[in-house]
Amino acid sequence: MENTKCSGCTGKDPKMEEILNQYKQTKDNLIQILNEVQEYYGYISEKSMAAISEYLSIPRAEIYGVVTFYSRFTLKPKGKYHIAICLGTACFVKGSEQILDRAKERLKIDVGETTKDGMFSLEATRCIGACGLAPVFTVNGEVYGKATVKMMDEIIDKIMENPE
């Protein structure tokens, strides 16, 4: 990768400049840049999109379109503990909707939201590829199979008792 320069295009965010400067200033690098920004910041902010837009010379609306098209990207910060509940066919048939309802009730948030304290965020996903373990949910990528409402309660309790 060519080491191009982003000087001042990030509003004095050195990490953003570091990310951008790893890539040539071509539209072909948009997804890679978005992946790195998402990985580092946990979401794609308006400020990040503005910096990327300036750096790659592409409209912010185009970047927004990419971010909202791919489910990997999010415009809102996720919680320290990101819970994703699979609603794919195998999981749904085996009761994942009840697990999701319980998580929403316990955390007092809806799908796509983060608790006010920033501890938890909640997502409903489609198949995560663990149908043999249905129903399934993940917490920060760790898979919990053969899940139950009771298991969801226990995991939330454990995190609340020891938030690390």
Side-chain angles (χ1 to χ4, degrees):
M1 290 180 214
E2 181 182 303
N3 192 9
T4 57
K5 293 291 175 212
C6 168
S7 56
C9 67
T10 62
K12 298 181 182 177
D13 182 343
K15 182 59 181 179
M16 188 63 165
E17 285 189 23
E18 180 185 320
I19 291 169
L20 293 174
N21 285 331
Q22 295 178 63
Y23 297 95
K24 289 181 181 177
Q25 292 175 285
T26 66
K27 185 178 177 178
D28 294 344
N29 291 320
L30 177 59
I31 298 289
Q32 293 167 295
I33 291 169
L34 288 171
N35 273 321
E36 282 207 44
V37 169
Q38 174 87 26
E39 189 68 33
Y40 183 78
Y41 295 100
Y43 73 112
I44 311 293
S45 69
E46 285 289 328
K47 187 176 176 181
S48 295
M49 285 191 281
I52 295 166
S53 172
E54 183 178 331
Y55 185 73
L56 296 179
S57 299
I58 58 177
R60 200 178 313 182
E62 189 173 332
I63 295 168
Y64 180 84
V66 171
V67 170
T68 56
F69 178 80
Y70 291 104
S71 62
R72 162 162 180 37
F73 301 122
T74 180
L75 295 168
K76 297 178 183 175
K78 291 183 180 178
K80 181 176 181 182
Y81 296 94
H82 180 69
I83 299 173
I85 300 163
C86 181
L87 295 179
T89 303
C91 289
F92 189 85
V93 167
K94 292 192 174 188
S96 63
E97 187 176 33
Q98 290 79 20
I99 296 167
L100 176 62
D101 289 343
R102 181 60 179 159
K104 288 167 36 175
E105 178 185 328
R106 283 289 308 275
L107 301 174
K108 296 177 178 40
I109 58 173
D110 207 342
V111 170
E113 295 179 344
T114 301
T115 56
K116 288 179 180 159
D117 63 4
M119 284 295 292
F120 294 94
S121 56
L122 190 58
E123 177 183 8
T125 64
R126 297 299 164 202
C127 188
I128 67 165
C131 302
L133 298 174
V136 172
F137 68 88
T138 64
V139 178
N140 293 350
E142 184 176 340
V143 177
Y144 293 88
K146 309 268 187 212
T148 62
V149 169
K150 181 180 179 194
M151 183 188 288
M152 175 61 70
D153 277 336
E154 289 169 352
I155 297 296
I156 291 172
D157 288 342
K158 183 179 174 187
I159 292 169
M160 286 179 166
E161 289 168 13
N162 258 335
E164 296 175 19

